[in-house]
Amino acid sequence: MLAPEQGTCLHDTLDDNSHKHAYAVSTDLEYGARRAVELLGNEVIRYRREVLKQGVFDDSAYVEATGIGGRGTGGRVLSSVDAQ
């Protein structure tokens, strides 16, 4: 019955159920996304260690490519004046 004399109508019941289902899907998607990022990060670490034979915390390639950071720079951007 769409509009019963007592209790909740069908529309309210369906609406409540859809909200509960949407929350469950959102929670599952959040977990899946977090797990995917974790797996990708672990694969990057494995690749750096085993294939490239680099340390995980070796930032020299990053500093060379971007000019940012590095030891002794205080994390600031290096300019051509700093390099001289």
Side-chain angles (χ1 to χ4, degrees):
M1 182 181 281
L2 292 177
E5 298 280 329
Q6 296 178 346
T8 34
C9 69
L10 179 60
H11 179 268
D12 289 342
T13 303
L14 292 174
D15 189 47
D16 288 343
N17 288 339
S18 69
H19 285 290
K20 289 176 186 174
H21 179 71
Y23 178 77
V25 169
S26 296
T27 303
D28 290 345
L29 287 173
E30 179 184 357
Y31 173 78
R34 182 177 294 139
R35 183 72 178 131
V37 169
E38 180 182 343
L39 290 171
L40 285 170
N42 287 338
E43 184 59 22
V44 167
I45 290 171
R46 185 205 63 80
Y47 184 81
R48 284 183 63 107
R49 284 182 178 162
E50 296 175 11
V51 176
L52 299 178
K53 305 292 186 207
Q54 292 179 345
V56 175
F57 300 106
D58 177 23
D59 64 351
S60 60
Y62 176 78
V63 172
E64 288 177 19
T66 63
I68 299 173
R71 300 186 199 307
T73 65
R76 62 188 169 84
V77 176
L78 297 176
S79 68
S80 58
V81 174
D82 293 329
Q84 294 175 359

Coordinates of all heavy atoms in Angstrom, one line a residue:
M1 N 0.8 -1.2 0.0 CA 0.0 0.0 0.0 C 0.9 1.2 0.0 O 1.9 1.3 0.8 CB -0.9 0.0 1.2 CG -1.9 1.1 1.3 SD -2.9 1.1 2.7 CE -4.1 -0.1 2.3
L2 N 0.6 2.2 -0.8 CA 1.4 3.4 -1.0 C 1.3 4.3 0.2 O 2.3 4.9 0.7 CB 1.1 4.1 -2.2 CG 1.5 3.4 -3.5 CD1 1.1 4.2 -4.7 CD2 3.0 3.1 -3.6
A3 N 0.1 4.5 0.7 CA -0.1 5.4 1.9 C -1.0 4.7 2.9 O -2.2 4.9 3.0 CB -0.8 6.7 1.4
P4 N -0.3 3.9 3.8 CA -1.1 3.2 4.8 C -1.6 4.1 5.9 O -1.1 5.2 6.1 CB -0.1 2.2 5.3 CG 1.2 2.8 5.1 CD 1.1 3.6 3.8
E5 N -2.6 3.7 6.5 CA -3.2 4.4 7.7 C -2.2 4.5 8.8 O -2.1 5.6 9.5 CB -4.5 3.7 8.2 CG -5.6 3.6 7.2 CD -6.4 4.9 7.0 OE1 -6.5 5.6 8.1 OE2 -6.8 5.2 5.9
Q6 N -1.4 3.5 9.0 CA -0.4 3.5 10.1 C 0.9 3.0 9.5 O 1.0 2.3 8.5 CB -0.8 2.5 11.2 CG -2.1 2.9 11.9 CD -2.5 1.9 13.0 OE1 -2.0 0.8 13.0 NE2 -3.4 2.3 13.9
G7 N 2.0 3.4 10.2 CA 3.3 3.0 9.7 C 3.9 3.9 8.7 O 3.3 5.0 8.4
T8 N 4.9 3.5 8.0 CA 5.6 4.3 7.0 C 5.1 3.9 5.6 O 4.8 2.8 5.4 CB 7.1 4.1 7.0 OG1 7.4 2.8 7.4 CG2 7.8 5.1 8.0
C9 N 5.0 4.9 4.8 CA 4.6 4.6 3.4 C 5.7 4.0 2.6 O 6.9 4.1 3.0 CB 4.1 5.9 2.7 SG 5.3 7.1 2.4
L10 N 5.4 3.4 1.5 CA 6.4 2.7 0.6 C 7.5 3.7 0.2 O 8.7 3.3 0.2 CB 5.7 2.1 -0.6 CG 6.6 1.4 -1.5 CD1 7.3 0.2 -0.9 CD2 5.8 0.9 -2.7
H11 N 7.2 4.9 -0.2 CA 8.2 5.9 -0.6 C 9.2 6.1 0.4 O 10.4 6.1 0.2 CB 7.5 7.2 -1.0 CG 8.5 8.2 -1.5 ND1 9.0 9.1 -0.6 CD2 9.0 8.4 -2.7 CE1 9.9 9.9 -1.3 NE2 9.9 9.5 -2.6
D12 N 8.8 6.3 1.7 CA 9.7 6.6 2.8 C 10.6 5.3 3.0 O 11.8 5.5 3.3 CB 9.0 6.9 4.1 CG 8.4 8.3 4.0 OD1 8.8 9.1 3.1 OD2 7.5 8.6 4.8
T13 N 10.1 4.2 3.0 CA 10.8 2.9 3.2 C 11.9 2.8 2.1 O 13.1 2.5 2.3 CB 9.9 1.7 3.2 OG1 8.9 1.9 4.2 CG2 10.7 0.4 3.4
L14 N 11.5 3.0 0.8 CA 12.4 2.9 -0.3 C 13.5 4.0 -0.2 O 14.7 3.7 -0.5 CB 11.7 3.0 -1.6 CG 10.7 1.9 -2.0 CD1 10.0 2.2 -3.3 CD2 11.5 0.6 -2.2
D15 N 13.1 5.2 0.2 CA 14.1 6.3 0.4 C 15.1 5.9 1.4 O 16.3 6.1 1.2 CB 13.4 7.6 0.7 CG 14.3 8.8 0.7 OD1 15.0 8.9 -0.3 OD2 14.2 9.6 1.6
D16 N 14.7 5.4 2.6 CA 15.6 5.0 3.6 C 16.6 3.9 3.2 O 17.8 4.0 3.5 CB 14.8 4.6 4.9 CG 14.2 5.7 5.6 OD1 14.5 6.9 5.4 OD2 13.3 5.4 6.4
N17 N 16.0 3.0 2.5 CA 16.8 1.8 2.0 C 17.9 2.3 1.0 O 19.0 1.8 1.0 CB 16.0 0.7 1.5 CG 15.2 0.0 2.5 OD1 15.6 0.0 3.7 ND2 14.1 -0.7 2.1
S18 N 17.5 3.2 0.2 CA 18.4 3.7 -0.9 C 19.6 4.5 -0.2 O 20.7 4.4 -0.6 CB 17.7 4.6 -1.9 OG 17.3 5.8 -1.4
H19 N 19.3 5.3 0.8 CA 20.4 6.0 1.5 C 21.3 5.0 2.2 O 22.5 5.2 2.2 CB 19.8 7.0 2.5 CG 19.2 8.2 1.9 ND1 19.9 9.2 1.3 CD2 17.9 8.6 1.8 CE1 19.2 10.1 0.8 NE2 17.9 9.8 1.1
K20 N 20.8 4.0 2.9 CA 21.6 3.0 3.5 C 22.5 2.3 2.5 O 23.7 2.1 2.7 CB 20.8 2.0 4.3 CG 20.1 2.5 5.5 CD 19.2 1.5 6.1 CE 18.4 2.1 7.3 NZ 17.4 1.2 7.8
H21 N 22.0 1.9 1.3 CA 22.7 1.3 0.3 C 23.8 2.2 -0.2 O 24.9 1.8 -0.5 CB 21.8 0.8 -0.8 CG 22.5 0.1 -1.9 ND1 23.1 -1.1 -1.8 CD2 22.8 0.5 -3.2 CE1 23.6 -1.5 -2.9 NE2 23.5 -0.5 -3.8
A22 N 23.5 3.5 -0.5 CA 24.5 4.4 -1.0 C 25.6 4.6 0.0 O 26.8 4.7 -0.4 CB 23.8 5.8 -1.3
Y23 N 25.3 4.6 1.3 CA 26.4 4.8 2.3 C 27.3 3.6 2.2 O 28.5 3.7 2.3 CB 25.8 5.0 3.7 CG 26.9 5.0 4.7 CD1 27.6 6.2 4.9 CD2 27.2 3.9 5.5 CE1 28.6 6.3 5.9 CE2 28.2 4.0 6.5 CZ 28.9 5.2 6.7 OH 29.8 5.3 7.6
A24 N 26.7 2.4 2.1 CA 27.5 1.2 2.1 C 28.4 1.1 0.8 O 29.6 0.7 0.9 CB 26.6 -0.1 2.1
V25 N 27.9 1.6 -0.3 CA 28.7 1.6 -1.5 C 29.8 2.6 -1.4 O 31.0 2.3 -1.8 CB 27.8 1.9 -2.8 CG1 28.6 2.2 -4.0 CG2 26.8 0.8 -3.0
S26 N 29.5 3.8 -0.8 CA 30.6 4.8 -0.6 C 31.7 4.3 0.3 O 32.9 4.5 0.0 CB 30.0 6.1 0.0 OG 29.1 6.7 -0.9
T27 N 31.3 3.6 1.3 CA 32.3 3.0 2.2 C 33.2 2.0 1.5 O 34.4 2.0 1.6 CB 31.6 2.4 3.4 OG1 30.8 3.3 4.1 CG2 32.6 1.8 4.4
D28 N 32.5 1.1 0.7 CA 33.3 0.1 -0.1 C 34.2 0.8 -1.1 O 35.4 0.3 -1.3 CB 32.3 -0.8 -0.8 CG 31.6 -1.7 0.1 OD1 32.0 -1.9 1.3 OD2 30.6 -2.3 -0.3
L29 N 33.8 1.8 -1.8 CA 34.6 2.5 -2.7 C 35.8 3.2 -2.0 O 36.9 3.2 -2.6 CB 33.8 3.6 -3.5 CG 32.8 3.0 -4.5 CD1 32.0 4.2 -5.1 CD2 33.6 2.3 -5.6
E30 N 35.6 3.8 -0.9 CA 36.7 4.4 -0.1 C 37.7 3.4 0.2 O 38.9 3.6 0.1 CB 36.1 5.1 1.1 CG 37.2 5.8 2.0 CD 36.6 6.3 3.3 OE1 35.4 6.3 3.5 OE2 37.4 6.9 4.0
Y31 N 37.3 2.3 0.7 CA 38.2 1.2 1.1 C 39.0 0.7 -0.2 O 40.2 0.5 -0.1 CB 37.5 0.0 1.7 CG 38.4 -1.2 1.9 CD1 39.3 -1.2 3.0 CD2 38.4 -2.3 1.1 CE1 40.1 -2.3 3.2 CE2 39.2 -3.3 1.2 CZ 40.1 -3.3 2.3 OH 40.9 -4.4 2.5
G32 N 38.3 0.5 -1.3 CA 38.9 0.1 -2.5 C 39.9 1.1 -3.0 O 41.0 0.7 -3.5
A33 N 39.6 2.3 -3.0 CA 40.6 3.4 -3.4 C 41.8 3.4 -2.5 O 42.9 3.5 -3.0 CB 39.9 4.7 -3.5
R34 N 41.6 3.3 -1.2 CA 42.7 3.3 -0.3 C 43.6 2.1 -0.5 O 44.8 2.2 -0.6 CB 42.2 3.3 1.1 CG 43.3 3.4 2.2 CD 42.8 3.5 3.6 NE 42.1 4.7 3.8 CZ 41.0 4.9 4.4 NH1 40.4 3.9 5.0 NH2 40.4 6.1 4.5
R35 N 43.0 1.0 -0.8 CA 43.8 -0.3 -1.0 C 44.5 -0.2 -2.3 O 45.7 -0.6 -2.4 CB 42.8 -1.5 -1.0 CG 43.5 -2.8 -1.2 CD 44.2 -3.2 0.0 NE 44.8 -4.5 -0.2 CZ 46.0 -4.9 0.0 NH1 46.8 -4.0 0.6 NH2 46.5 -6.0 -0.2
A36 N 43.9 0.4 -3.4 CA 44.6 0.6 -4.7 C 45.8 1.4 -4.5 O 46.9 1.1 -5.1 CB 43.7 1.1 -5.7
V37 N 45.7 2.6 -3.8 CA 46.9 3.5 -3.6 C 48.0 2.8 -2.8 O 49.2 2.9 -3.1 CB 46.4 4.8 -2.9 CG1 47.6 5.6 -2.5 CG2 45.5 5.6 -3.8
E38 N 47.6 2.0 -1.8 CA 48.6 1.3 -1.0 C 49.3 0.3 -1.9 O 50.5 0.2 -1.8 CB 47.8 0.5 0.1 CG 48.8 -0.2 1.0 CD 48.0 -1.0 2.1 OE1 46.8 -0.6 2.4 OE2 48.6 -1.9 2.7
L39 N 48.6 -0.5 -2.7 CA 49.2 -1.5 -3.6 C 50.2 -0.8 -4.6 O 51.3 -1.3 -4.9 CB 48.2 -2.3 -4.4 CG 47.4 -3.3 -3.5 CD1 46.2 -3.9 -4.3 CD2 48.3 -4.4 -2.9
L40 N 49.7 0.3 -5.2 CA 50.6 1.1 -6.1 C 51.9 1.6 -5.4 O 53.0 1.5 -6.0 CB 49.8 2.2 -6.7 CG 48.8 1.9 -7.8 CD1 48.0 3.1 -8.1 CD2 49.5 1.3 -9.0
G41 N 51.7 2.1 -4.3 CA 52.9 2.6 -3.5 C 53.9 1.5 -3.2 O 55.1 1.6 -3.3
N42 N 53.3 0.3 -2.8 CA 54.2 -0.8 -2.5 C 54.9 -1.3 -3.7 O 56.1 -1.7 -3.7 CB 53.4 -1.9 -1.9 CG 53.0 -1.7 -0.5 OD1 53.6 -0.8 0.2 ND2 51.9 -2.3 0.0
E43 N 54.2 -1.2 -4.9 CA 54.9 -1.6 -6.1 C 56.0 -0.7 -6.5 O 57.0 -1.1 -7.0 CB 53.8 -1.8 -7.2 CG 54.4 -2.3 -8.6 CD 55.0 -3.6 -8.5 OE1 54.7 -4.4 -7.6 OE2 55.9 -3.9 -9.3
V44 N 55.8 0.6 -6.3 CA 56.8 1.6 -6.6 C 58.1 1.3 -5.7 O 59.2 1.4 -6.2 CB 56.3 3.0 -6.4 CG1 57.5 4.1 -6.4 CG2 55.3 3.4 -7.4
I45 N 57.8 1.1 -4.5 CA 59.0 0.8 -3.6 C 59.7 -0.5 -4.0 O 60.9 -0.5 -4.1 CB 58.5 0.6 -2.1 CG1 58.0 2.0 -1.6 CG2 59.5 0.0 -1.2 CD1 57.3 2.0 -0.3
R46 N 58.9 -1.5 -4.4 CA 59.6 -2.8 -4.8 C 60.4 -2.5 -6.1 O 61.5 -3.0 -6.2 CB 58.5 -3.8 -5.1 CG 59.1 -5.2 -5.4 CD 58.2 -6.1 -6.3 NE 57.9 -5.5 -7.6 CZ 58.7 -5.6 -8.6 NH1 59.8 -6.1 -8.6 NH2 58.3 -5.0 -9.8
Y47 N 59.8 -1.8 -7.0 CA 60.5 -1.5 -8.3 C 61.8 -0.7 -8.1 O 62.8 -1.0 -8.7 CB 59.5 -0.7 -9.2 CG 60.1 -0.5 -10.6 CD1 60.1 -1.4 -11.6 CD2 60.7 0.8 -10.9 CE1 60.6 -1.2 -12.8 CE2 61.2 1.0 -12.2 CZ 61.2 0.0 -13.1 OH 61.7 0.2 -14.4
R48 N 61.7 0.3 -7.2 CA 62.9 1.1 -6.9 C 64.0 0.2 -6.3 O 65.2 0.4 -6.6 CB 62.6 2.3 -6.0 CG 61.9 3.4 -6.7 CD 61.7 4.6 -5.8 NE 62.9 5.1 -5.3 CZ 63.4 6.3 -5.6 NH1 62.8 7.0 -6.5 NH2 64.6 6.7 -5.1
R49 N 63.6 -0.6 -5.4 CA 64.6 -1.5 -4.7 C 65.2 -2.5 -5.6 O 66.4 -2.7 -5.7 CB 64.0 -2.1 -3.5 CG 63.8 -1.2 -2.3 CD 63.3 -2.0 -1.1 NE 63.1 -1.1 0.0 CZ 62.4 -1.4 1.1 NH1 61.6 -2.5 1.1 NH2 62.3 -0.6 2.1
E50 N 64.3 -3.3 -6.3 CA 64.7 -4.5 -7.0 C 65.2 -4.2 -8.4 O 66.1 -4.9 -8.9 CB 63.6 -5.5 -6.9 CG 63.3 -6.0 -5.5 CD 62.1 -6.9 -5.5 OE1 61.7 -7.4 -6.5 OE2 61.6 -7.2 -4.4
V51 N 64.5 -3.3 -9.1 CA 64.8 -3.1 -10.5 C 65.8 -2.0 -10.7 O 66.8 -2.1 -11.4 CB 63.5 -2.8 -11.3 CG1 63.8 -2.5 -12.8 CG2 62.6 -4.0 -11.2
L52 N 65.6 -0.8 -10.1 CA 66.4 0.3 -10.2 C 67.6 0.3 -9.3 O 68.6 1.1 -9.5 CB 65.6 1.6 -10.0 CG 64.5 1.9 -11.0 CD1 63.8 3.2 -10.6 CD2 65.0 1.9 -12.4
K53 N 67.5 -0.6 -8.3 CA 68.6 -0.7 -7.3 C 68.8 0.6 -6.6 O 70.0 1.0 -6.3 CB 69.9 -1.2 -7.9 CG 69.8 -2.5 -8.6 CD 69.5 -3.7 -7.7 CE 69.5 -5.0 -8.5 NZ 68.7 -6.0 -8.0
Q54 N 67.7 1.4 -6.3 CA 67.8 2.7 -5.6 C 67.2 2.5 -4.2 O 66.4 1.7 -4.0 CB 67.0 3.7 -6.4 CG 67.6 4.1 -7.7 CD 66.7 5.2 -8.4 OE1 65.6 5.4 -8.0 NE2 67.2 5.8 -9.4
G55 N 67.7 3.4 -3.4 CA 67.1 3.4 -2.0 C 65.7 4.0 -2.1 O 65.3 4.8 -3.0
V56 N 64.9 3.7 -1.2 CA 63.5 4.2 -1.1 C 63.5 5.7 -0.8 O 62.7 6.4 -1.4 CB 62.7 3.4 -0.1 CG1 61.3 4.0 0.0 CG2 62.6 2.0 -0.4
F57 N 64.4 6.1 0.0 CA 64.4 7.5 0.4 C 65.5 8.3 -0.3 O 65.8 9.4 0.1 CB 64.6 7.6 1.9 CG 63.5 6.9 2.7 CD1 63.7 5.7 3.3 CD2 62.2 7.5 2.7 CE1 62.7 5.1 4.0 CE2 61.2 6.9 3.4 CZ 61.4 5.6 4.0
D58 N 66.0 7.8 -1.4 CA 67.0 8.5 -2.2 C 66.3 9.5 -3.0 O 65.6 9.2 -4.0 CB 67.8 7.5 -3.1 CG 68.8 8.2 -4.0 OD1 69.2 9.3 -3.6 OD2 69.1 7.6 -5.0
D59 N 66.5 10.8 -2.7 CA 65.8 11.9 -3.4 C 66.7 12.6 -4.5 O 66.3 13.6 -5.0 CB 65.2 12.9 -2.5 CG 66.2 13.6 -1.7 OD1 67.4 13.3 -1.7 OD2 65.8 14.6 -1.0
S60 N 67.9 12.1 -4.8 CA 68.7 12.8 -5.7 C 68.2 12.9 -7.1 O 68.3 13.9 -7.7 CB 70.1 12.1 -5.8 OG 70.0 10.7 -6.2
A61 N 67.5 11.8 -7.6 CA 66.9 11.9 -8.9 C 65.7 13.0 -8.9 O 65.6 13.7 -9.9 CB 66.3 10.6 -9.3
Y62 N 65.0 13.1 -7.8 CA 63.9 14.1 -7.7 C 64.5 15.5 -7.7 O 64.1 16.4 -8.4 CB 63.1 13.8 -6.5 CG 62.0 14.9 -6.3 CD1 60.9 14.9 -7.0 CD2 62.2 15.9 -5.3 CE1 59.9 15.8 -6.8 CE2 61.2 16.9 -5.1 CZ 60.1 16.8 -5.9 OH 59.1 17.8 -5.7
V63 N 65.6 15.7 -7.0 CA 66.2 17.0 -6.9 C 66.8 17.4 -8.3 O 66.6 18.5 -8.7 CB 67.3 17.0 -5.8 CG1 68.1 18.3 -5.9 CG2 66.7 16.8 -4.4
E64 N 67.4 16.4 -8.9 CA 68.0 16.7 -10.3 C 66.9 17.1 -11.3 O 67.1 18.0 -12.1 CB 68.8 15.5 -10.8 CG 70.1 15.3 -10.1 CD 70.8 14.1 -10.6 OE1 70.5 13.6 -11.7 OE2 71.7 13.6 -9.8
A65 N 65.8 16.4 -11.2 CA 64.7 16.6 -12.2 C 64.0 17.9 -11.9 O 63.5 18.6 -12.8 CB 63.7 15.4 -12.2
T66 N 63.8 18.2 -10.6 CA 62.9 19.4 -10.3 C 63.7 20.6 -9.8 O 63.2 21.7 -9.9 CB 61.9 19.0 -9.2 OG1 62.6 18.6 -8.0 CG2 61.0 17.8 -9.7
G67 N 64.9 20.4 -9.2 CA 65.6 21.5 -8.6 C 65.0 21.9 -7.3 O 65.3 22.9 -6.8
I68 N 64.2 21.0 -6.7 CA 63.5 21.3 -5.4 C 64.1 20.4 -4.4 O 64.2 19.2 -4.6 CB 62.0 21.1 -5.5 CG1 61.4 22.1 -6.6 CG2 61.3 21.3 -4.2 CD1 59.9 21.8 -6.8
G69 N 64.4 21.0 -3.2 CA 64.7 20.2 -2.1 C 66.2 19.8 -2.1 O 67.1 20.6 -2.6
G70 N 66.5 18.7 -1.6 CA 67.9 18.2 -1.5 C 68.5 18.6 -0.1 O 68.0 19.4 0.6
R71 N 69.6 17.9 0.2 CA 70.2 18.2 1.4 C 70.9 19.6 1.4 O 71.5 19.9 0.5 CB 71.2 17.1 1.7 CG 70.6 15.7 1.8 CD 71.6 14.7 2.2 NE 71.3 13.3 1.9 CZ 70.2 12.7 2.2 NH1 69.3 13.3 2.7 NH2 70.0 11.4 1.8
G72 N 70.7 20.3 2.5 CA 71.4 21.6 2.6 C 70.6 22.7 2.0 O 71.1 23.8 2.0
T73 N 69.5 22.5 1.4 CA 68.7 23.6 0.8 C 67.6 24.0 1.7 O 66.9 25.0 1.3 CB 68.2 23.2 -0.6 OG1 67.2 22.1 -0.4 CG2 69.3 22.7 -1.5
G74 N 67.3 23.3 2.7 CA 66.2 23.6 3.6 C 64.8 23.4 2.9 O 63.8 23.9 3.3
G75 N 64.8 22.6 1.8 CA 63.6 22.3 1.1 C 63.2 23.4 0.2 O 62.1 23.3 -0.4
R76 N 64.0 24.4 0.0 CA 63.6 25.6 -0.9 C 63.9 25.3 -2.3 O 64.7 24.4 -2.6 CB 64.2 26.9 -0.4 CG 65.7 26.9 -0.4 CD 66.2 28.2 0.2 NE 67.7 28.1 0.4 CZ 68.6 28.3 -0.5 NH1 68.2 28.8 -1.7 NH2 69.8 28.2 -0.3
V77 N 63.3 26.0 -3.2 CA 63.6 25.9 -4.6 C 64.9 26.5 -4.9 O 65.3 27.6 -4.5 CB 62.5 26.6 -5.4 CG1 62.8 26.5 -6.9 CG2 61.1 26.0 -5.1
L78 N 65.7 25.7 -5.7 CA 67.1 26.2 -6.1 C 66.9 27.1 -7.3 O 66.2 26.7 -8.3 CB 68.0 25.0 -6.4 CG 68.2 24.0 -5.3 CD1 69.1 22.9 -5.8 CD2 69.0 24.7 -4.1
S79 N 67.6 28.1 -7.3 CA 67.6 29.0 -8.5 C 69.0 28.9 -9.2 O 69.9 28.3 -8.6 CB 67.3 30.5 -8.1 OG 68.4 31.0 -7.4
S80 N 69.2 29.6 -10.3 CA 70.4 29.6 -11.0 C 71.5 30.3 -10.1 O 72.7 30.0 -10.2 CB 70.3 30.2 -12.4 OG 69.8 31.5 -12.2
V81 N 71.1 31.2 -9.3 CA 72.0 32.0 -8.5 C 72.5 31.0 -7.4 O 73.7 31.0 -7.1 CB 71.3 33.2 -7.8 CG1 72.3 33.8 -6.8 CG2 70.9 34.2 -8.9
D82 N 71.7 30.1 -6.8 CA 72.1 29.2 -5.8 C 73.1 28.2 -6.4 O 73.9 27.7 -5.7 CB 70.9 28.4 -5.3 CG 70.0 29.4 -4.5 OD1 70.5 30.3 -3.9 OD2 68.7 29.1 -4.5
A83 N 72.9 27.8 -7.6 CA 73.8 26.8 -8.2 C 75.2 27.2 -8.5 O 76.1 26.4 -8.6 CB 73.2 26.3 -9.5
Q84 N 75.4 28.5 -8.5 CA 76.8 29.1 -8.8 C 77.7 29.0 -7.6 O 77.5 29.0 -6.5 CB 76.7 30.5 -9.3 CG 76.0 30.6 -10.6 CD 75.8 32.0 -11.0 OE1 76.1 33.0 -10.3 NE2 75.2 32.2 -12.2

